[in-house]
Amino acid sequence: GEEVAQTPKHLVRGEGQKAKLYCAPIKGHSYVFWYQQVLKNEFKFLISFQNENVFDETGMPKERFSAKCLPNSPCSLEIQATKLEDSAVYFCASRQGARYTFGSGTRLTVV
Amino acid sequence: GIQVEQSPPDLILQEGANSTLRCNFSDSVNNLQWFHQNPWGQLINLFYIPSGTKQNGRLSATTVATERYSLLYISSSQTTDSGVYFCAAWRDAGNMLTFGGGTRLMVKP
């Protein structure tokens, strides 16, 4: 389809628990990006993939965050041992050609 | 890295009014996109506009790459136009988007 599908829409985790978010990019799009939106307006880049290979991971807090994009599977973003400050909306986007298309986001609340 | 700045940060309009939102970006940007984030949090593509002018209904956008700015025009605003408008820029294929801080628009009936 022509949409980026993110699941789940909402996720609540206790501090210290693991959180795993999924993203199915648009078929044929070779680039996938993860962004974290905090404070409603600020977008922070986390990581990008070109097909299943990491393209740019300069935004990832690597001690607790990891991500994968494997063939024939949704991409995933995993947070080990969540902290309160990880509460945010996590957006996935895919790109082929000039335009980026974003998914609807996963709202993670850490309590 | 790329710098993207938007103005104004907040805007309140009466329904039916027109508005212009501005996005300034640092040099070496050759791709730019406008998004609308609606009150439910969805990010909606408005325009991919590295240069020139495009129109879609009541919305239009102009990018003057040589002067490093882009403008988004909203005419005859409606309450459904409320939300946050972002511009985002990037340089080359595969590179990440750098977002501006957004313009929060509220259209009152």
Side-chain angles (χ1 to χ4, degrees), chain B residues 1-108:
Chain B
I2 296 171
Q3 310 293 324
V4 181
E5 293 181 357
Q6 291 185 243
S7 60
D10 295 281
L11 189 57
I12 300 174
L13 297 176
Q14 207 62 40
E15 202 168 23
N18 303 328
S19 63
T20 301
L21 282 58
R22 187 176 179 105
C23 173
N24 292 331
F25 49 87
S26 57
D27 58 3
S28 303
V29 164
N30 50 21
N31 297 280
L32 188 131
Q33 199 161 339
W34 282 95
F35 297 91
H36 174 216
Q37 188 167 37
N38 64 23
W40 295 270
Q42 291 178 302
L43 268 175
I44 298 160
N45 286 323
L46 295 178
F47 297 101
Y48 167 70
I49 186 160
S51 63
T53 297
K54 289 186 178 178
Q55 179 151 10
N56 184 4
R58 295 181 297 103
L59 301 182
S60 64
T62 295
T63 297
V64 183
T66 53
E67 296 186 24
R68 305 202 298 273
Y69 72 87
S70 184
L71 302 174
L72 179 70
Y73 305 97
I74 304 174
S75 63
S76 304
S77 57
Q78 300 177 357
T79 56
T80 51
D81 295 332
S82 297
V84 184
Y85 290 81
F86 290 98
C87 71
W90 71 101
R91 285 201 184 96
D92 302 311
N95 279 11
M96 63 176 185
L97 294 175
T98 297
F99 282 83
T103 292
R104 183 176 297 277
L105 174 65
M106 181 186 297
V107 181
K108 294 187 170 180

Side-chain angles (χ1 to χ4, degrees), chain A residues 31 33 35 37 39-43 45 48 55-56 58 89 91 93 95 97-105 107, chain B residues 31 33 35 37 39 41-43 45-48 84 86 90 92-102 104:
Chain A
Y31 288 99
F33 300 78
Y35 282 85
Q37 188 182 28
L39 300 173
K40 199 63 181 174
N41 275 24
E42 186 183 322
F43 283 88
F45 167 74
S48 62
F55 187 80
D56 181 349
T58 52
V89 180
F91 284 98
R95 179 182 164 274
R99 279 167 58 114
Y100 286 81
T101 301
F102 280 77
S104 298
R107 180 177 296 278
Chain B
N31 297 280
Q33 199 161 339
F35 297 91
Q37 188 167 37
Q42 291 178 302
L43 268 175
N45 286 323
L46 295 178
F47 297 101
Y48 167 70
V84 184
F86 290 98
W90 71 101
D92 302 311
N95 279 11
M96 63 176 185
L97 294 175
T98 297
F99 282 83
R104 183 176 297 277

Side-chain angles (χ1 to χ4, degrees), chain A residues 8-107:
Chain A
K9 292 197 182 312
H10 302 279
L11 192 57
V12 180
R13 287 288 178 267
E15 210 173 359
Q17 290 186 316
K18 186 171 74 175
K20 196 163 185 178
L21 291 60
Y22 296 92
C23 167
I26 294 173
K27 254 191 171 174
H29 282 201
S30 52
Y31 288 99
V32 173
F33 300 78
W34 285 98
Y35 282 85
Q36 179 194 56
Q37 188 182 28
V38 295
L39 300 173
K40 199 63 181 174
N41 275 24
E42 186 183 322
F43 283 88
K44 182 189 172 193
F45 167 74
L46 295 175
I47 189 169
S48 62
F49 289 84
Q50 183 178 18
N51 299 312
E52 63 267 23
N53 303 307
V54 174
F55 187 80
D56 181 349
E57 57 182 346
T58 52
M60 282 284 268
K62 288 180 198 166
E63 59 278 6
R64 294 185 301 110
F65 285 61
S66 62
K68 293 179 192 173
C69 272
L70 300 175
N72 304 313
S73 297
C75 297
S76 63
L77 176 70
E78 190 166 338
I79 310 172
Q80 303 285 344
T82 52
K83 296 184 178 181
L84 295 176
E85 65 257 31
D86 298 331
S87 294
V89 180
Y90 292 81
F91 284 98
C92 173
S94 69
R95 179 182 164 274
Q96 184 76 350
R99 279 167 58 114
Y100 286 81
T101 301
F102 280 77
S104 298
T106 293
R107 180 177 296 278

